Amino acid sequence: MQLDLVPLWAAILALAVFMYVLLDGFDLGVGMLFALRRDAQERDLMVASVAPIWDFNETWLVLGIGGLMAVFPLAFAIVLPALYFPFLLMLLGLLFRGVAFEFREGAGPRRSGWDRGFCIGSLLATWAQGVVLGNFIQGFAVAGRQFAGDSWDWLSPFALLTGLGLVAGYALQGATWLVMKTEGELQQWAKRTARRCLVGVLAFIALLSLWTPLTQPRIAERWFSLPNLFYFSPVPVLTLALAVVMLQALRRGRDVLPFLCSMGLFFLAFTGLVISLWPYIVPPSITLWEAAAAPKSQAFMLVGTLFLLPVILLYVFWSYWVFRGKARAHHGYHGL
């Protein structure tokens, strides 16, 4: 009897995507919020807060895309042509942001230009990721085993709205990160910004939660049929509870709890996404099992992944432990 590795691979890819959103989300959020502060010292402090960890956060993106290509090649072959332009915009944003991040340190009079590049690259990468998410919720036009749409199907009102929703979500992550890592006026500003971002995130969640079941009958049936309605109702209830806890934590001057609540909100949103899409990897027609590579190929790649995954997790936890505490300007890897 051959072991079914597809659920395990689905869990690995889900972990990679969630860890990327969780970890790179807050440093992209800091990049977008960067545009709202003009003081040079505060900008240096914002950069210093993410400098030691921003680049390896993207390791999860490599694992997720690499795993999709290797283990679910049919899904990769359909999704890539469907979302070619959003992926291209995302990569250009990440590339431009990374270059600006490095070059602003020694740019002299051109530093303000690289600062703008840092903001624009962060915003572009975030919005493009939200558009990709929106298209996964909407589904893809598939005929046989090929993408049957055109290059501009991704440009729908729902996907554009999802892109804006993720911008608000990452901005909330970035603001709560700054609450945890900074002090003084910058921290107070981050608290005010976090409250505004939370209102925006809740508004986008409410709007997308109404729009999705109205336009996607399969998702409406998944959530609102009995007994699923009782099983899945903790997701929206806990979302509202975490939002209330975050507002109270910000009001009472707690440093760490708002960021933990923000992570909890993303976990609940990701849980809702999995509930809506399972077991499809190319909704609404291709399941995980239909898109999977041969069992021997899955087993071969699993050997390396099960060795690599603990190393990445250990590296992540160790790095965050080493750079714990409040950030100080020029205390990133450039200034040490």
Side-chain angles (χ1 to χ4, degrees):
M1 182 178 177
Q2 194 166 39
L3 184 64
D4 183 5
L5 297 177
V6 170
L8 179 57
W9 271 112
I12 291 172
L13 290 189
L15 175 66
V17 172
F18 178 65
M19 290 297 287
Y20 172 76
V21 169
L22 205 60
L23 300 181
D24 209 31
F26 72 76
D27 68 59
L28 284 168
V30 169
M32 290 186 290
L33 296 176
F34 198 76
L36 304 179
R37 303 302 289 177
R38 297 296 180 188
D39 182 84
Q41 288 186 339
E42 288 186 344
R43 285 188 162 189
D44 287 343
L45 194 59
M46 293 170 77
V47 168
S49 73
V50 297
I53 38 86
W54 76 274
D55 46 0
F56 74 72
N57 285 341
E58 294 172 4
T59 304
W60 296 102
L61 182 63
V62 176
L63 178 61
I65 293 179
L68 180 69
M69 180 173 62
V71 183
F72 300 101
L74 177 59
F76 188 82
I78 293 172
V79 169
L80 185 61
L83 299 177
Y84 180 78
F85 286 113
F87 280 136
L88 181 63
L89 291 174
M90 180 188 72
L91 293 175
L92 286 174
L94 291 176
L95 177 66
F96 196 52
R97 172 176 177 271
V99 172
F101 195 102
E102 301 289 345
F103 278 36
R104 69 177 298 277
E105 285 292 319
R110 293 187 294 276
R111 188 171 189 174
S112 61
W114 289 115
D115 282 351
R116 283 193 290 274
F118 183 50
C119 305
I120 294 170
S122 300
L123 179 62
L124 182 62
T126 302
W127 178 78
Q129 289 175 19
V131 170
V132 169
L133 171 64
N135 277 274
F136 266 94
I137 296 172
Q138 279 189 313
F140 300 91
V142 176
R145 295 169 64 86
Q146 294 181 334
F147 174 59
D150 62 46
S151 301
W152 301 104
D153 282 1
W154 60 274
L155 206 56
S156 67
F158 181 83
L160 297 179
L161 181 68
T162 310
L164 294 177
L166 195 65
V167 168
Y170 280 2
L172 176 64
Q173 283 277 79
T176 53
W177 172 261
L178 291 174
V179 170
M180 185 172 66
K181 298 293 288 185
T182 63
E183 299 171 298
E185 172 57 28
L186 181 58
Q187 187 192 48
Q188 295 305 313
W189 172 81
K191 288 179 181 177
R192 296 192 295 272
T193 304
R195 291 191 195 98
R196 298 188 189 103
C197 291
L198 178 60
V199 172
V201 168
L202 293 177
F204 276 112
I205 289 176
L207 185 56
L208 293 173
S209 298
L210 289 174
W211 192 334
T212 302
L214 289 175
T215 57
Q216 303 290 328
R218 60 185 171 82
I219 296 179
E221 184 180 359
R222 174 68 58 85
W223 280 88
F224 298 114
S225 62
L226 294 176
N228 290 355
L229 181 62
F230 298 110
Y231 295 152
F232 302 150
S233 58
V235 175
V237 171
L238 289 175
T239 298
L240 288 175
L242 270 181
V244 172
V245 172
M246 182 188 291
L247 284 174
Q248 291 178 341
L250 289 168
R251 192 178 300 117
R252 292 173 181 172
R254 303 288 294 274
D255 287 357
V256 179
L257 188 56
F259 184 66
L260 296 179
C261 290
S262 178
M263 293 171 68
L265 288 175
F266 268 82
F267 174 75
L268 290 170
F270 190 75
T271 302
L273 182 66
V274 172
I275 292 172
S276 299
L277 299 185
W278 179 266
Y280 296 101
I281 192 169
V282 184
S285 54
I286 306 291
T287 67
L288 288 158
W289 286 266
E290 291 170 334
K296 286 186 178 179
S297 299
Q298 296 177 46
F300 175 75
M301 288 178 285
L302 189 62
V303 174
T305 303
L306 290 182
F307 171 77
L308 182 65
L309 199 55
V311 174
I312 296 175
L313 286 170
L314 184 62
Y315 177 54
V316 167
F317 288 123
W318 177 249
S319 300
Y320 278 85
W321 173 255
V322 169
F323 293 103
R324 66 189 183 279
K326 298 291 182 181
R328 296 288 181 268
H330 302 298
H331 277 201
Y333 54 75
H334 292 111
L336 284 173

